[in-house]
């Protein structure tokens, strides 16, 4: 590639009051040699003088499905020191504990009900991080048993029949200890299917739980009910938006009466993505209870895990569906309760527990990173990934507690991407515009040592071929640190690898407690960004001197 030629750089030195109008710099790279079919040059337009959206500091958050508690002994997995270290690298973040099972579980205020001897000495309160660590032998056994449990749970979900379950104080302690000791902010999903004969939410069991958590000084926030739009299917109960809103108003009052949850967060209604009557449910809910909630939550999956393909996972049309659904939800929320923040309260690639060999492999990163980029760009405040560990095959950390490619992607996102969303566009003259997706934020300076004014570009190349990205000349003097993520194995087949490479180096824990270095590669100032086919990357433009970063 030759030297880039500056085409236009309007308003770069405009006075600040004019900066609501972005300064867009366009750069035209020299024509691509016609021979190189596997190679395309793309010009980017960056707007660095204006923050377009600002998302929550905990934007990338994670979930643990309540089905981990279906058999309480599995909650001990959360005592794994390795898992805590992995979780800590994702902070600050919310930890949502919820899912279908939350509406079938009741709190029994008693200590642990386990009969087996090897658990009985493991009582500990949720604050004592050092005093409890899951012993390696027990961890090993639980991991083996979880594989069996996972297939039982999967079967239950397939049948759509959910047994009622109890959980004890010990299970709550284990959950809280995990959240607190890894630095995650716990959101607990209460059972909304405990209802009176008049179909009004019965708060007694929630109050028991809150009293217990209060007595332990557990700091947490709350949700009520999971995907109420499908209660009829799951439990033969129909709850409309107005009634659910009344239930939330009641919960809000209950929280006001406690000492420590008076000002804690309340989020809902955790509806599925808009489809016919679901929209009515959301509207009715917000009309009734929007003042009681701190954010409006909805759930999103791109595809059905039992009926999807490798192609779906990197199809720009599939990825664009998120924008359509998000805009529908935002429209509803903004019309009924303007200004209310909107969260993806539970989200992943494929519903029904994921898609084995896809949602747990490198290719899942296209859906995940694109979702992170698009959701922030559209103005969603928080995105809660289903799941950190456990449940299904869409986890970030697998059943052996080893990190999957989406985990590494998430850690890099946390380190490099700040909450300020900036504008970036692929110049319209680019042929393969559809297959290249780019997002721009201020660099996260809280968790990294980058200097003021630096920006982080992240890009996905959905094509087989390498892309060369050119930045505006304004940034030609800046050092750029590249973090290119590729599958551990080459080619389209390699996309289904359960391992990833960062700048060519295989990503894996050094040992149970030690992270690999996760280093970027410095590019020379003015060097083009080469994004290999079927890969994605973060680029930190270290001296971008963005006035808003
Ligand atoms: C839950 O606890 C209640 C009260 O202790 C008990 O009657 C019920 O059988 C328990 N349910 C299950 C599924 O264990
Ligand atoms: C963990 O618990 C301590 C002690 O109560 C508290 O100060 C801290 O804020 C908690 N951290 C989280 C993330 O909940
Ligand atoms: C993606 O990478 C391939 C090379 O592996 C390249 O040919 C293609 O042009 C890139 N796509 C875009 C949109 O730049
Ligand atoms: C880059 O550095 C050169 C030499 O110091 C300087 O002349 C030029 O103005 C700089 N360009 C930008 C865009 O800052």
């Amino acid at each position: 590639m030759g030297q880039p030629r500056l085409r236009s750089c309007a308003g770069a030195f405009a006075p600040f009051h004019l900066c609501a109008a972005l300064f867009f710099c366009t750069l035209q790279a020299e024509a691509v040699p016609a021979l190189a079919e596997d190679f395309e040059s793309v010009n980017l337009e960056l707007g660095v003088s204006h923050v377009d959206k600002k998302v929550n500091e905990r934007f990338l958050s994670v979930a643990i499905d309540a089905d981990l508690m279906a058999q309480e002994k599995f909650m001990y997995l959360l005592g794994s020191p390795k898992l805590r270290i992995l979780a800590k690298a994702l902070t600050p973040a919310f930890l949502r504990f919820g899912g279908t099972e939350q509406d079938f579980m009741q709190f029994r205020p008693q200590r642990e009900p386990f009969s087996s001897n090897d658990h009985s000495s493991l009582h500990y309160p949720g604050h004592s991080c050092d005093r409890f660590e899951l012993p390696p032998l027990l961890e090993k056994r639980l991991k083996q048993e979880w594989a069996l449990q996972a297939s039982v749970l999967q079967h239950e979900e397939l049948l759509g029949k959910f047994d009622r379950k109890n959980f004890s104080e010990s299970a709550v302690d284990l959950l809280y200890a995990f959240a607190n000791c890894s630095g995650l902010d716990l959101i607990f999903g209460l059972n909304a299917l405990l209802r009176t004969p008049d179909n009004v939410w019965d708060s007694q069991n929630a109050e028991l739980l809150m009293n217990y958590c209060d007595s332990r000084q557990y700091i947490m926030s709350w949700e009520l009910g999971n995907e109420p739009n499908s209660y009829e299917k799951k439990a033969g109960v129909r709850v409309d938006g107005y009634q659910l809103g009344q239930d939330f108003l009641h919960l809000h009052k209950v929280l006001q009466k406690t000492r420590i949850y008076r000002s804690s967060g309340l989020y809902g209604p955790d509806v599925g993505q808009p489809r016919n009557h679901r929209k009515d449910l959301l509207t009715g809910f917000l009309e009734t209870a929007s003042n009681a909630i701190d954010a409006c939550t909805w759930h999103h999956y791109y595809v059905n895990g039992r009926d999807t393909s490798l192609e779906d996972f990197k199809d720009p049309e599939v990825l664009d569906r998120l924008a359509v659904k998000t805009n529908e939800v935002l429209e509803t929320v903004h019309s009924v309760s303007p200004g209310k923040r909107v969260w993806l309260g539970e989200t992943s690639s494929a519903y029904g527990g994921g898609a084995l060999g896809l949602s747990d492999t490198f290719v899942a990163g296209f859906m995940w990173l694109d979702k992170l980029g698009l959701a922030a760009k559209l103005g969603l405040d928080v995105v809660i990934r289903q799941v950190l560990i456990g449940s299904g095959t869409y986890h970030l950390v697998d059943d052996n507690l080893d990190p999957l490619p989406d985990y590494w992607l998430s850690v890099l996102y946390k380190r490099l991407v700040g909450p300020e969303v900036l504008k970036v566009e692929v110049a319209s003259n680019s042929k393969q515009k559809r297959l290249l997706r780019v997002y721009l934020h201020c660099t996260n300076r809280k968790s990294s040592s980058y200097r003021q004014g630096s920006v982080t570009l992240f890009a996905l190349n959905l094509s087989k071929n390498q892309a060369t990205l050119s930045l505006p000349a304004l940034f030609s003097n800046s050092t750029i640190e590249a973090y290119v993520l590729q599958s551990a194995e080459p080619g389209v087949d390699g996309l289904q690898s359960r391992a990833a490479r960062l700048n060519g180096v295989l990503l894996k824990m050094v040992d149970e407690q030690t992270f690999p270095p996760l280093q970027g590669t410095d590019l020379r100032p003015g060097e083009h960004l080469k994004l290999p086919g079927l890969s994605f990357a973060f680029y930190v433009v270290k001296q971008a001197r963005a006035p808003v970063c």
Side-chain angles (χ1 to χ4, degrees):
M1 293 302 302
Q3 276 298 106
R5 179 165 57 87
L6 184 66
R7 194 174 63 189
S8 69
C9 189
F13 306 102
F16 261 84
H17 66 273
L18 287 181
C19 278
L22 301 178
F23 69 96
F24 264 141
C25 302
T26 309
L27 175 129
Q28 174 105 60
E30 281 186 358
V32 182
L35 304 172
E37 267 177 61
D38 63 335
F39 181 87
E40 198 204 354
S41 176
V42 174
N43 301 324
L44 299 181
E45 296 172 346
L46 276 56
V48 297
S49 64
H50 170 77
V51 174
D52 194 42
K53 297 273 167 34
K54 187 154 185 219
V55 299
N56 200 295
E57 270 202 329
R58 298 169 180 78
F59 179 72
L60 191 170
S61 285
V62 292
I64 288 181
D65 197 286
D67 69 10
L68 192 70
M69 226 189 235
Q71 256 198 59
E72 283 195 14
K73 67 176 177 187
F74 293 110
M75 296 298 284
Y76 279 109
L77 280 170
L78 301 181
S80 156
K82 180 178 179 182
L83 185 60
R84 287 185 181 180
I85 282 168
L86 292 173
K88 205 173 264 174
L90 297 175
T91 59
F94 291 106
L95 173 66
R96 179 210 189 215
F97 185 79
T100 306
E101 293 282 354
Q102 89 183 51
D103 288 313
F104 296 89
M105 297 203 321
Q106 288 198 58
F107 176 59
R108 299 295 169 199
Q110 65 208 5
R111 295 225 56 87
E112 60 99 36
F114 316 125
S115 51
S116 107
N117 294 332
D118 51 9
H119 299 302
S120 56
S121 60
L122 294 178
H123 291 162
Y124 70 105
H127 289 301
S128 53
C129 301
D130 305 329
R131 262 187 284 159
F132 176 78
E133 278 190 0
L134 181 65
L137 267 179
L138 182 53
E139 176 174 322
K140 193 168 164 216
R141 221 185 70 196
L142 281 175
K143 285 194 290 201
Q144 284 162 357
E145 291 174 10
W146 172 253
L148 205 71
Q149 171 74 350
S151 63
V152 170
L153 292 168
Q154 183 76 17
H155 189 64
E156 205 182 52
E157 158 134 11
L158 210 64
L159 294 178
K161 286 182 76 176
F162 303 95
D163 295 334
R164 294 184 203 295
K165 283 137 197 144
N166 294 329
F167 64 97
S168 71
E169 293 174 354
S170 311
V172 178
D173 293 341
L174 288 160
L175 177 63
Y176 188 79
F178 173 68
N180 189 270
C181 301
S182 24
L184 298 167
D185 295 296
L186 182 61
I187 302 173
F188 191 93
L190 297 165
N191 182 341
L193 280 177
L194 295 171
R195 310 192 72 79
T196 67
D198 305 331
N199 201 15
V200 169
W201 180 55
D202 179 348
S203 63
Q204 277 183 65
N205 196 256
E207 290 179 61
L208 276 179
L209 175 63
M210 278 173 203
N211 286 341
Y212 175 69
C213 292
D214 187 339
S215 76
R216 290 289 199 166
Q217 295 285 293
Y218 290 166
I219 298 157
M220 56 214 268
S221 49
W222 305 90
E223 291 182 349
L224 174 62
N226 179 74
E227 301 188 4
N229 42 278
S230 59
Y231 281 168
E232 202 157 11
K233 198 169 122 205
K234 287 183 291 200
V237 176
R238 192 174 169 96
V239 181
D240 64 18
Y242 170 78
Q243 185 52 52
L244 190 66
Q246 291 295 325
D247 299 339
F248 267 73
L249 290 175
H250 178 58
L251 171 56
H252 186 66
K253 279 204 200 99
V254 171
L255 290 169
Q256 297 299 304
K257 280 190 292 187
T258 65
R259 265 181 316 133
I260 64 171
Y261 305 122
R262 204 167 294 160
S263 56
S264 72
L266 175 58
Y267 315 106
D270 283 283
V271 285
Q273 53 190 295
R275 227 186 263 166
N276 316 328
H277 71 280
R278 286 185 198 175
K279 219 167 154 185
D280 302 336
L281 197 151
L282 184 57
T283 305
F285 171 80
L286 288 171
E287 282 167 355
T288 314
S290 79
N291 288 335
I293 54 166
D294 297 283
C296 173
T297 51
W298 66 292
H299 297 181
H300 177 270
Y301 293 84
Y302 295 98
V303 290
N304 180 348
R306 287 173 214 117
D307 171 27
T308 185
S309 64
L310 183 70
E311 282 310 309
D312 281 349
F313 272 70
K314 55 186 186 62
D315 183 343
E317 269 164 42
V318 174
L319 299 184
D320 283 338
R321 286 181 205 159
L322 174 63
V324 176
K325 295 291 180 187
T326 300
N327 287 329
E328 274 180 54
V329 172
L330 288 176
E331 204 176 294
T332 306
V333 178
H334 291 161
S335 70
V336 184
S337 47
K340 184 64 62 186
R341 282 192 260 272
V342 181
W343 290 10
L344 271 178
E346 179 195 303
T347 193
S348 200
S349 51
Y351 63 86
L356 185 67
L358 294 169
S359 58
D360 54 349
T361 63
F362 181 81
V363 75
F366 292 103
M367 282 183 173
W368 182 222
L369 185 58
D370 196 65
K371 178 168 282 178
L372 293 168
L374 199 51
K377 184 173 147 178
L378 295 171
L380 298 177
D381 188 49
V382 168
V383 170
I384 301 180
R385 165 69 183 242
Q386 174 86 346
V387 292
L388 173 63
I389 164 114
S391 192
T393 54
Y394 40 37
H395 37 215
L396 298 177
V397 175
D398 72 12
D399 291 344
N400 196 37
L401 306 188
D402 289 322
L404 290 167
D406 273 3
Y407 172 80
W408 298 114
L409 173 56
S410 304
V411 170
L412 284 173
Y413 183 97
K414 276 284 170 192
R415 287 198 186 175
L416 304 175
V417 180
E420 303 85 1
V421 187
L422 309 176
K423 282 209 164 141
V424 59
E425 271 170 48
V426 176
S428 52
N429 56 353
S430 178
K431 252 192 336 217
Q432 295 210 32
K433 196 172 175 179
R434 276 176 70 243
L435 297 175
L436 182 73
R437 304 171 74 94
V438 289
Y439 301 96
L440 186 70
H441 285 234
C442 289
T443 301
N444 181 8
R445 292 200 296 121
K446 282 236 168 84
S447 75
S448 62
S449 54
Y450 297 108
R451 69 168 80 170
Q452 208 170 332
S454 60
V455 298
T456 300
L457 172 78
F458 52 103
L460 298 88
N461 183 356
L462 302 173
S463 129
K464 291 202 298 301
N465 304 317
Q466 172 170 296
T468 301
L469 311 180
S470 308
L471 296 183
L474 185 65
F475 307 111
S476 61
N477 284 353
S478 174
T479 328
I480 293 177
E481 212 168 79
Y483 295 82
V484 178
L485 282 162
Q486 285 176 275
S487 181
E489 287 125 50
V492 175
D493 298 339
L495 290 177
Q496 287 176 273
S497 168
R498 290 163 57 84
R501 292 182 191 277
L502 172 61
N503 295 327
V505 180
L506 191 68
L507 286 169
K508 59 177 205 281
M509 293 293 278
V510 175
D511 58 40
E512 298 287 286
Q513 315 268 333
T514 319
F515 271 78
L518 298 180
Q519 268 158 357
T521 303
D522 275 344
L523 306 181
R524 274 176 293 106
E527 192 176 338
H528 292 306
L529 315 178
K530 295 197 184 66
L531 182 58
L534 302 174
S535 70
F536 31 84
F538 298 91
Y539 300 102
V540 181
V541 186
K542 292 207 267 189
Q543 295 94 27
R545 299 198 192 90
V548 293
C549 295

